[in-house]
Amino acid sequence: MSKQIATLSAITICILLLTGCGVPKQKIPVSTNPLGATVYADGTKVCTTPCAVSLDKQSDHLLTIVKDGYKQEDLEITRQFMPDEAIRDGIISGVLTGGDPKEIGQEVAKEVDEQERSGEAYELRPDIVTITLTPKK
């Protein structure tokens, strides 16, 4: 029994370390043809291509890509609800608290709710940005 408790404790600690604290973020690689375009995220300059932008998963974002001699490109990054990880975490948590099917169901609902509120249950799309810039005439 104590070996099971130790194993479950180790799993819980691993989950806590992997989920971390704060606003969940997602890195989105951005590349352009030609290279060297400036990328703005929600109006703030963040990098020059090729690069990756780190965006919070709690909201949609607007990427603006500019380069002298080329037309500006605007791309909306939207979040999509992806409850799979929250459901998995809820099942693990429910098993850790006793394994009763009713408790597991409650833990799943609780985990999905928590991850939806924090933004963890969302993924940003597109998750890779590749744009061919159009020369100005």
Side-chain angles (χ1 to χ4, degrees):
M1 181 70 159
S2 64
K3 187 175 182 178
Q4 286 177 324
I5 292 172
T7 301
L8 294 175
S9 296
I11 291 171
T12 303
I13 290 169
C14 287
I15 290 170
L16 292 173
L17 289 174
L18 290 174
T19 56
C21 298
V23 176
K25 295 192 178 276
Q26 180 176 334
K27 284 192 177 187
I28 298 179
V30 180
S31 64
T32 58
N33 182 14
L35 302 174
T38 303
V39 179
Y40 294 84
D42 303 319
T44 302
K45 182 179 176 179
V46 289
C47 62
T48 301
T49 62
C51 60
V53 292
S54 182
L55 302 171
D56 73 73
K57 293 167 46 172
Q58 291 182 316
S59 61
D60 294 343
H61 301 276
L62 178 66
L63 291 186
T64 302
I65 300 171
V66 296
K67 183 171 176 70
D68 286 341
Y70 293 86
K71 293 181 182 177
Q72 175 177 308
E73 295 285 341
D74 294 313
L75 179 66
E76 188 176 359
I77 306 293
T78 58
R79 63 189 202 142
Q80 291 182 316
F81 186 57
M82 308 290 278
D84 295 350
E85 288 185 29
I87 291 169
R88 182 205 62 219
D89 292 348
I91 290 170
I92 291 170
S93 182
V95 169
L96 291 175
T97 60
D100 178 80
K102 184 177 179 183
E103 290 175 0
I104 292 173
Q106 291 170 343
E107 285 298 319
V108 167
K110 178 182 164 192
E111 193 67 36
V112 169
D113 182 58
E114 287 176 4
Q115 288 191 22
E116 184 175 11
R117 288 180 197 201
S118 74
E120 272 301 316
Y122 290 90
E123 292 293 324
L124 298 174
R125 296 289 186 253
D127 57 353
I128 297 174
V129 174
T130 304
I131 294 179
T132 299
L133 300 172
T134 305
K136 290 181 181 176
K137 292 185 180 186

